[in-house]
């Protein structure tokens, strides 16, 4: 009972409050932008050469306002937004009217999850394992080699890294494709060949993300382990004759993992806004370019749809971590 | 372990053995072009009548034919689904459209007047469909016979057919037999799409990065086939390559046949890919027949830009050769008037205005006059380019067409006189002060895309005016369209005037937005082509005359157009600088006989609707 009252309920309250405030902000912020979605659309149509008779322009604006649900006061729009939202409907995309926002998200989400979830987890696991080993065996030659590589790759702008991989493995040694998600004109069918083709197309974008992610986690973990290693309780355990394996596994790694677990939860949440540069460099399908286009065109509904999903995932990840934390950290108790 | 090794070997074999295209789509029978507008947001939706569906991914340029299409390379209007030019009655209240016989939809159904009548009626009655507002001008669409349609209009309009005239957008005809079975034409995906053009959909990427089209077996039952013959490539792939760097790499690997590039990328392609070419084989390489003119627009509703003498002073403060060098390394065609210097407009307008421009004077006060036109500007630009080590043509006519016949003089002394006449002063350091004594700062609003001519114009302009002593800032914004329409700017490098048709002398599209009927205060939305909020009663009269002139009466149309352009030059509400320099590259590894400056049979862009009319002229090289 204590757990529910003192631990769970306050966290659930904060959870729902953050979601409420976050979603309200998502509604308000785009409306503070100097971008009017209708004017953007008309501007785009005009600049693409379509002849819009100035006389009919105002009729068009009225029709679009009606269709986009932008008529009425801000409060009316806000209420209607919550009504739709609670029914699981983000409304139509303005820019790609009348396609529902949810259809656009559904189309991009699997690619984003497939690429970013996998690469985040792989780089997290590898980065932490190697980071911990490197900190523990800090005098070994391989650690120094990884450190040097990390010092080169970590500060490198992601765009340059991605482009270098592309140049190296798609142009100079044309092993991988220049971009895309799947073979052009090929059908995605369940089978080994399809999986291999998908992997081939995902390899370079995944490699670019893993490289950056790996070295980030590696350096963070190495630093934390080094700090924990010099803590009094480790020294005490050493003096007390506790076995090295136990010290590493139970004392050092377990303590060092705590900030890394929190970091992972935040990284997983960020997956849902996609990786714009990866998608642009490798023409890889995903939510990144969708979100960018939503901002650029003032597509409020699409912007809200993607951001709301992101808010949900981040807050839920944090809530889960908060609830599971006592399992990782014995100092935290449901009291 | 052995299994693992076997798996890895198999994986590696598959990886290395695969090419970009699936088996069954031979590269040498496929034309690959990059997609101008990027990744498709709704890959499975081809219903372009219900909003933006990335029409340049093959929908407008391969699948569908319009009634008429502008061909700006030759300066003609192509009768596509229509058999003849539009026929109006005397008072322009009725439009008769004669249709081409023998055209079939790609699913084998004949194209007839029923399709045209149904399209116009459906669009008129469905709010939310593109051209719904415009089609309210139709009182009734009547089928006279299978190949004749009569449109009765609510008010006289000699330009109604231009809504059906493809330029880079038009109300294209939809298949009645498909749409009449649809419950909601707005949400209908039109997949698989059915068209009257020479290609049909073969496949598309659910991620939105490519769309693959296959030539119709009955290509000879399409307007393209009837007019120009069999399109050469069996497949056309429209693909989004993302960054320019990737396009360069793809071209270097012969995985991309036609691309829109930046100048820097074009140089890289021309240097590294020995089978690549641009519109012009020599410098300045760029497409100089694009129907858009670039430059800047003043906010004429704001002081001091509401004063034509100030606008002229700012024009004369620009050294156009230095400006063109800063913006595009001189690879542009100067446009002193508000229409671009295409071959067609050169004959229709530039030659007719040349004498007037040379004689045109501005009043500096105290009886002093100044002739601002500099007929040597094009030659000066050519000289600059020559000094940069490029080869330039030597005959005057070619220089006129490549670098422009002239522009306005660089006359900072005259600009100074004009400003002083209007109460401006310089401070001790030579910087300009407004008539009320405050420092004069100009903010230029432009796009965020560094490769775009608007952006390049913005920074070149800032440099020119700074040199003249005006504190000038450039603000780049994704909200350019919104801010522009609302008039929330001082100077914008959005187009100085709306684009003309490109392949027809009619300047109604350029001049009508300046009509005082549409003038709105700052904060309200101004029409495209007049974000600067400039009007002139004389121009209103010209617009009325144009409205009452038959579209086919070329001589009268040109005469009115010339008068309209003279007014724009006299008042200079926005300064035209140079043509939109189209930066495209073609790879001749698999296909040759592209149109070019030396062989101008068609416009050069693969994203334009006319792309389908270029394809029958391409020739395979036979390379595998």
């Amino acid at each position: 009972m204590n757990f529910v009252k003192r631990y769970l309920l306050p966290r659930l309250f904060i959870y729902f409050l953050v979601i409420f405030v976050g979603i309200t902000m998502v509604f308000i912020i785009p409306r503070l932008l100097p971008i009017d979605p209708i004017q953007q659309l008309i501007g785009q149509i005009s600049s693409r050469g379509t002849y819009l008779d100035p006389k009919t322009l105002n009729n068009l604006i009225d029709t679009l306002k009606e269709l986009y649900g932008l008529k009425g006061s801000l409060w009316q729009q806000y209420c209607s937004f919550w009504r739709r939202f609670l029914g699981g409907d983000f409304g139509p995309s303005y820019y790609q009217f009348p396609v529902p926002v949810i259809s656009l998200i559904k189309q991009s989400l699997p690619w984003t999850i497939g690429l970013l979830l996998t690469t985040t987890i792989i780089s997290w696991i590898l980065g932490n394992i190697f980071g911990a080993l490197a900190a523990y065996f800090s005098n070994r030659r391989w650690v120094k080699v990884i450190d040097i590589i990390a010092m080169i790759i970590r500060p490198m702008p992601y765009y340059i890294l991605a482009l270098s991989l592309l140049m190296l493995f798609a142009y100079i040694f044309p092993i991988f494709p220049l971009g895309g998600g799947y073979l052009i004109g090929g059908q995605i069918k369940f089978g080994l060949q399809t999986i291999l083709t998908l992997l081939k197309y995902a390899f370079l974008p995944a490699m670019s993300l893993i490289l950056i992610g790996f070295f980030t986690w590696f350096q963070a973990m190495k630093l934390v382990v080094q700090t924990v290693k010099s803590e009094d309780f480790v020294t005490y355990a050493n003096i007390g004759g506790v076995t090295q394996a136990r010290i590493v596994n139970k004392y050092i790694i377990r303590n060092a993992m705590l900030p890394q677990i929190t970091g992972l939860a935040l990284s997983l949440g960020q997956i849902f806004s996609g990786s714009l540069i990866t998608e642009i460099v490798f023409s890889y399908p995903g939510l990144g370019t969708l979100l960018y286009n939503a901002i650029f065109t003032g597509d409020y509904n699409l912007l809200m749809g993607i951001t709301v999903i992101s808010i949900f995932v981040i807050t839920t990840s944090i809530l889960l971590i908060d609830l599971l934390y006592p399992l990782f950290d014995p100092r935290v108790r449901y009291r | 372990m052995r299994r693992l090794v076997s798996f890895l070997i198999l994986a590696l074999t598959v990886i290395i053995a695969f090419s970009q295209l699936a088996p069954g789509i031979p590269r040498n029978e496929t034309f690959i072009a990059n997609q101008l507008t990027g990744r498709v947001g709704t890959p499975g939706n081809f219903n372009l009548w219900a909003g933006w569906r990335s029409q340049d991914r093959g929908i407008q340029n391969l699948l569908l034919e319009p009634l008429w299409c502008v061909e700006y390379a030759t300066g003609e209007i192509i009768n596509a689904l229509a058999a003849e030019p539009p026929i109006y009655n005397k008072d322009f209240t009725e439009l008769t459209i004669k249709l081409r016989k023998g055209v079939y939809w790609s699913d084998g159904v004949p194209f007839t007047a029923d399709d045209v009548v149904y399209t116009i009626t459906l669009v008129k009655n469905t709010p939310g469909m593109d051209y719904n507002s415009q089609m309210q001008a139709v009182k009734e669409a009547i089928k006279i016979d299978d190949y004749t349609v009569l449109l009765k209009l609510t008010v006289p309009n000699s330009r109604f057919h231009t809504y059906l005239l493809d330029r880079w957008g038009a109300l294209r005809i939809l298949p009645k037999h498909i749409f009449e079975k649809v419950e909601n034409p707005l949400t209908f995906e039109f997949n698989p799409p059915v068209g009257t053009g020479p290609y049909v959909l073969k496949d598309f990427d659910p991620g939105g990065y490519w769309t693959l089209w296959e030539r119709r077996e009955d290509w000879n039952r399409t307007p393209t086939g009837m007019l120009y013959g069999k399109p050469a490539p069996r497949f056309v792939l429209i693909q989004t390559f993302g960054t320019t760097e990737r396009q360069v790499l793809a071209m270097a690997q012969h995985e991309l046949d036609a691309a829109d590039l930046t100048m820097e990328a074009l140089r890289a392609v021309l240097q590294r890919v020995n089978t690549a070419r641009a519109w012009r084989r020599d410098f300045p390489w760029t497409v100089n027949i694009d129907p858009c003119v670039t430059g800047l627009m003043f906010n004429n509703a704001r002081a001091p830009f509401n004063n034509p003498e100030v606008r002229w002073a700012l024009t004369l403060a620009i050294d156009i050769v230095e400006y063109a060098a800063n913006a595009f390394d001189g690879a542009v065609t100067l446009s002193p008037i508000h229409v671009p210097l295409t071959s067609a407009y050169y004959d229709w307008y530039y030659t007719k205005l040349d004498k007037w421009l040379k004689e045109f004077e501005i009043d500096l006060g105290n009886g002093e006059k100044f002739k601002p036109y500099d007929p040597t500007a094009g030659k000066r630009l050519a000289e600059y380019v020559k000094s940069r080590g490029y080869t330039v043509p030597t005959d005057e006519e070619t220089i006129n067409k490549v670098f422009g016949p002239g522009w306005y003089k660089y006359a900072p002394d005259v600009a100074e006189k004009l400003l002083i006449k209007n109460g401006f002063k310089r401070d001790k350091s030579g910087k300009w002060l407004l008539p009320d004594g405050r420092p004069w700062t100009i903010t230029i609003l432009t796009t965020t895309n560094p490769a775009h001519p608007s952006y390049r114009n913005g920074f070149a302009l800032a440099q020119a005016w700074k040199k003249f002593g005006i504190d000038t800032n450039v603000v780049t914004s994704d909200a350019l369209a919104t801010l522009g329409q609302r008039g929330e700017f001082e100077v914008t490098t959005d187009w100085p005037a709306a684009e003309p048709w490109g392949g027809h002398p009619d300047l109604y599209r350029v001049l009508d937005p300046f009509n005082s009927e549409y003038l709105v205060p700052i904060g309200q939305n101004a029409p495209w082509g007049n974000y600067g909020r400039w009007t002139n009663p004389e121009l209103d009269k010209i617009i009325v005359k144009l409205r009452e002139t038959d579209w086919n009466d070329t001589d009268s149309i040109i005469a009115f157009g010339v008068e309209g352009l003279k007014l724009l030059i006299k008042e200079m509400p926005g300064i035209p600088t140079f043509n939109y320099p189209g930066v495209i590259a073609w790879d001749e590894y698999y296909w040759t006989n592209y149109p070019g400056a030396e062989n101008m049979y068609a416009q050069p862009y693969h994203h334009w609707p006319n792309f389908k009319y270029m394809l029958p002229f391409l020739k395979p090289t036979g390379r595998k």
Side-chain angles (χ1 to χ4, degrees):
Chain A
M1 198 57 202
N2 247 357
F3 162 72
V4 173
K5 203 173 161 188
R6 291 194 177 178
Y7 199 91
L8 185 63
L9 281 180
R11 277 160 180 77
L12 281 178
F13 174 74
I14 297 283
Y15 171 71
F16 285 114
L17 185 69
V18 169
I19 288 175
F20 175 76
V21 172
I23 290 174
T24 303
M25 295 304 283
V26 166
F27 174 83
I28 293 169
I29 288 170
R31 284 165 170 79
L32 299 176
L33 291 174
I35 296 176
D36 176 338
I38 292 173
Q39 298 312 324
Q40 283 300 104
L41 183 70
I42 289 169
Q44 298 267 2
I45 292 171
S46 310
S47 63
R48 280 180 182 135
T50 300
Y51 180 47
L52 290 171
D53 183 342
K55 274 185 210 161
T56 57
L57 200 63
N58 288 336
N59 295 341
L60 179 64
I61 290 170
D62 278 350
T63 311
L64 288 172
K65 270 192 179 171
E66 188 79 54
L67 293 165
Y68 284 12
L70 291 172
K71 273 205 164 164
S73 67
L74 208 61
W75 175 248
Q76 285 169 322
Q77 288 181 40
Y78 182 64
C79 294
S80 115
F81 161 68
W82 270 107
R83 258 196 312 276
R84 278 192 283 116
F85 172 70
L86 291 173
D89 174 17
F90 295 116
S93 158
Y94 293 158
Y95 193 59
Q96 287 157 72
F97 185 84
V99 180
V101 161
I102 204 75
S103 305
L104 294 176
I105 295 175
K106 267 186 199 164
Q107 167 203 308
S108 293
L109 200 58
W111 294 95
T112 298
I113 294 179
L115 181 70
L116 291 184
L117 187 68
T118 318
T119 54
T120 304
I121 291 172
I122 291 175
S123 56
W124 186 81
I125 293 172
L126 293 178
N128 283 321
I129 292 172
F130 281 90
L133 291 171
Y136 202 75
F137 304 105
S138 50
N139 291 326
R140 301 283 174 88
R141 186 177 288 172
W142 66 266
V143 175
K144 285 175 187 158
V145 172
I146 294 185
D147 271 339
I148 291 168
I149 299 172
M151 273 191 286
I152 297 167
I153 291 189
R154 257 310 295 283
M156 199 185 275
Y158 173 73
Y159 181 80
I160 302 292
L161 175 74
L163 204 60
S164 306
L165 286 175
L166 198 69
M167 290 281 288
L168 200 60
F169 296 112
Y171 179 63
I172 297 169
F173 305 108
I175 302 168
F176 295 101
L178 274 170
Y182 195 72
L183 197 64
I184 292 168
Q187 297 300 313
I188 298 183
K189 294 172 190 160
F190 186 74
L192 179 66
Q193 193 154 315
T194 294
I195 293 169
L196 289 173
T197 310
L198 281 168
L199 285 176
K200 180 189 122 186
Y201 276 82
F203 189 84
L204 285 184
M207 181 56 81
S208 67
L209 291 166
I210 287 173
L211 275 177
I212 287 283
F214 169 79
F215 287 111
T216 308
W217 294 117
F218 171 82
Q219 287 188 328
M221 185 64 173
K222 195 177 158 211
L223 273 176
V224 180
V225 169
Q226 277 171 339
T227 311
V228 178
K229 235 168 82 177
S230 57
E231 292 276 350
D232 289 346
F233 68 90
V234 178
T235 315
Y236 186 73
N238 269 320
I239 297 166
V242 180
T243 61
Q244 280 303 307
R246 190 172 173 80
I247 291 174
V248 171
N249 290 327
K250 298 281 178 185
Y251 289 34
I252 298 178
I253 303 289
R254 194 162 177 185
N255 274 290
M257 282 307 289
L258 297 175
Q260 303 295 85
I261 289 168
T262 311
L264 177 67
L266 292 173
S267 301
L268 289 177
Q270 279 156 8
I271 282 173
F272 291 84
S273 51
S275 175
L276 179 64
I277 303 178
T278 309
E279 287 175 30
I280 289 176
V281 175
F282 297 101
S283 302
Y284 202 80
L287 281 175
T289 45
L290 204 60
L291 181 62
Y292 173 76
N293 286 336
I295 297 166
F296 174 60
T297 55
D299 194 338
Y300 299 161
N301 283 353
L302 183 54
L303 199 58
M304 285 190 293
I306 298 171
T307 320
V308 162
I309 290 177
S310 213
I311 289 172
F312 255 107
V313 178
I314 291 177
T315 45
T316 309
S317 311
I318 291 172
L319 178 72
L320 286 175
I321 288 294
D322 222 10
L323 295 177
L324 295 172
Y325 226 70
L327 298 177
F328 305 116
D329 188 353
R331 290 167 297 187
V332 180
R333 286 281 174 261
Y334 303 126
R335 282 194 223 115
Chain B
M1 189 63 190
R2 193 177 289 172
R3 271 188 191 172
L4 181 68
V5 171
S6 310
F7 176 77
L8 286 174
I9 289 170
L10 176 66
L12 201 64
T13 313
V14 172
I15 282 167
I16 293 172
F18 277 8
S19 77
Q20 190 196 213
L21 298 170
I25 303 159
R27 176 66 183 91
N28 60 342
E29 289 183 50
T30 308
F31 185 90
I32 305 178
N34 82 303
Q35 188 167 342
L36 178 77
T37 55
R39 185 183 171 193
V40 181
T42 47
N45 193 324
F46 294 84
N47 183 358
L48 84 167
W49 296 273
W52 174 247
R53 298 287 173 260
S54 302
Q55 5 274 48
D56 58 323
R57 66 157 158 158
I59 304 177
Q60 69 179 13
N61 32 359
L62 297 166
L63 174 78
L64 294 171
E65 297 268 6
L67 282 165
W68 299 279
C69 189
V70 174
E71 178 48 74
Y72 56 87
T74 56
E76 62 173 326
I77 303 294
I78 298 167
N79 297 318
L81 286 174
E84 296 176 22
I87 305 161
Y88 285 95
N89 65 348
K90 243 184 179 177
D91 62 357
F92 305 111
T93 51
E94 289 182 2
L95 165 62
T96 303
I97 305 170
K98 296 274 187 186
L99 301 177
R100 187 178 290 277
K101 291 175 182 164
V103 175
Y104 283 76
W105 292 97
S106 52
D107 59 357
V109 174
F111 163 79
T112 67
D114 290 326
D115 294 301
V116 180
V117 171
Y118 182 79
T119 301
I120 291 171
T121 312
L122 177 73
V123 170
K124 183 189 172 187
N125 296 334
T126 316
M129 283 188 102
D130 283 0
Y131 291 89
N132 166 265
S133 301
Q134 290 90 326
M135 289 307 116
Q136 302 311 312
V138 178
K139 198 192 293 173
E140 202 181 354
I142 302 161
K143 173 184 168 180
I144 303 294
D145 59 49
D146 270 359
Y147 296 99
T148 312
V149 174
L150 174 69
L151 300 182
K152 291 193 171 184
L153 307 177
T154 51
V155 287
N157 185 350
S158 61
R159 302 288 184 277
F160 180 82
H161 72 282
T162 54
Y163 296 131
L164 307 155
L165 168 68
D166 211 349
R167 195 185 152 282
W168 215 96
L171 174 55
R172 302 179 184 97
I173 306 306
L174 53 79
K176 176 178 182 266
H177 62 285
I178 306 276
F179 273 77
E180 67 187 353
K181 293 174 194 146
V182 167
E183 202 174 312
N184 184 349
L186 281 177
T187 52
F188 176 52
E189 295 215 326
F190 192 43
N191 183 4
V194 169
T196 44
Y199 285 79
V200 282
L201 181 73
K202 169 87 174 159
D203 201 356
F204 66 90
D205 173 23
Y209 279 98
W210 52 262
T211 314
L212 182 64
W213 303 87
E214 185 171 15
R215 189 180 56 219
R216 275 170 62 168
E217 284 186 8
D218 62 341
W219 53 266
N220 52 349
R221 298 202 298 184
T222 70
T224 301
M226 291 176 192
L227 288 164
Y228 304 105
K230 184 180 180 181
R234 188 176 150 209
F235 299 102
V236 177
L237 173 69
I238 313 272
Q239 191 177 351
T240 297
F241 283 82
T243 60
T244 313
E245 295 89 331
R246 259 202 64 212
Q247 290 187 55
V248 176
L249 293 180
M251 279 209 131
Q253 288 181 329
H254 309 299
E255 281 189 19
L256 174 60
D257 297 312
D260 297 90
L261 301 167
T262 60
M263 273 307 282
E264 296 73 22
L266 178 68
R267 279 175 206 276
V269 164
L270 294 178
Q271 274 169 12
R272 291 183 184 280
V273 188
N274 56 14
T275 47
R277 65 156 297 176
W279 169 252
R280 290 182 59 79
R281 288 205 181 263
D282 301 313
F283 190 89
W285 305 303
T286 49
V287 179
N288 63 343
I289 58 158
D290 192 290
C292 308
V293 64
T294 76
L296 64 114
M297 181 164 272
F298 295 107
N299 191 335
N300 293 256
R302 271 195 189 179
F305 309 106
N306 55 351
N307 180 344
E309 290 191 337
V310 172
R311 301 195 293 261
W312 259 109
L314 290 168
T315 310
L316 295 170
I318 297 170
D319 176 349
I320 196 64
V321 174
E322 194 175 287
Y323 183 101
N326 287 338
F328 270 97
D329 196 18
V332 294
T333 306
L334 303 179
S335 298
I337 60 176
H338 292 73
V339 291
L341 196 159
T342 65
S343 308
Y345 289 123
Y346 185 79
D347 296 335
W348 289 328
Y349 291 107
Y350 278 74
T351 50
K352 291 188 177 59
L353 276 162
D354 190 56
K355 194 166 170 244
W356 179 86
L357 276 166
K358 284 175 183 159
E359 295 303 318
F360 169 60
E361 289 180 330
I362 49 176
D363 186 359
L364 306 183
N366 302 323
E368 203 182 344
K369 305 271 184 184
F370 178 72
K371 288 184 177 174
Y373 187 64
D374 173 11
T376 67
K379 281 187 211 109
R380 287 198 292 121
L381 181 58
E383 283 303 314
Y384 161 78
V385 166
K386 203 174 163 188
S387 73
R388 297 269 293 113
Y390 298 113
T391 310
V392 292
T394 46
D395 72 292
E396 198 172 329
E397 179 78 357
T398 315
I399 287 181
N400 280 353
K401 286 189 171 176
V402 173
F403 294 102
W407 206 74
Y408 301 101
K409 289 171 185 160
Y410 176 48
D413 52 330
V414 179
E416 184 162 344
K417 277 184 190 170
L418 280 170
L419 290 179
I420 290 171
K421 181 184 167 191
N422 284 281
F424 290 78
K425 292 181 277 291
R426 282 191 194 263
D427 66 10
K428 282 177 192 164
S429 60
K431 291 237 172 170
W432 281 101
L433 303 173
L434 289 162
D436 62 8
R438 284 183 296 124
W440 190 10
T441 304
I442 299 178
T443 303
I444 301 166
L445 176 71
T446 190
T447 174
T448 50
N449 176 3
H452 199 278
S454 290
Y455 186 97
R456 308 249 174 158
N457 265 299
F459 284 90
L461 190 61
Q463 210 154 325
W465 287 348
K466 271 183 183 167
K467 189 176 166 186
F468 181 58
I470 302 169
D471 203 7
T472 311
N473 305 313
V474 181
V475 170
T476 61
S477 175
D478 278 342
L480 179 67
T482 305
L483 298 173
Q485 286 167 85
R486 286 189 192 149
E488 289 166 7
F489 65 90
E490 288 190 304
V491 173
T492 177
T493 50
D494 218 345
W495 310 141
E499 307 136 36
W501 296 107
H504 191 279
D506 180 35
L507 294 192
Y508 187 74
R509 214 178 117 102
V510 177
L511 302 178
D512 189 42
F514 294 113
N515 197 330
S516 58
E517 222 178 289
Y518 316 133
L519 186 68
V520 290
I522 289 172
Q524 289 180 29
N525 301 309
W528 161 252
N530 190 15
Y531 293 169
R533 290 152 166 79
W534 172 80
T535 58
N536 182 303
E538 288 302 307
L539 189 63
D540 286 351
K541 287 179 199 161
I542 293 169
I543 293 164
V544 170
K545 283 178 191 163
L546 264 180
R547 273 186 195 158
E548 292 165 356
T549 305
D550 193 313
W551 165 267
N552 301 311
D553 182 358
T554 307
D555 291 343
S556 303
I557 282 177
I558 293 175
F560 292 132
V562 164
E563 291 313 306
L565 289 173
K566 282 180 186 172
L567 281 176
L568 281 165
I569 295 161
K570 279 181 192 166
E571 296 241 338
M572 208 54 97
I575 309 174
T577 52
F578 46 78
N579 281 23
Y580 182 100
V583 187
I584 56 157
W586 293 304
D587 183 11
E588 295 189 308
Y589 191 84
Y590 290 109
W591 304 98
T592 59
N593 201 37
Y594 293 104
E598 78 288 356
N599 179 22
M600 228 162 26
Y601 66 83
Q603 62 79 41
Y605 301 129
H606 47 274
H607 46 81
W608 272 61
N610 324 34
F611 176 53
K612 52 188 167 281
Y613 305 138
M614 182 216 287
L615 291 173
F617 295 89
L618 295 188
K619 290 181 180 150
T621 59
R623 284 193 176 105
K624 296 286 174 192

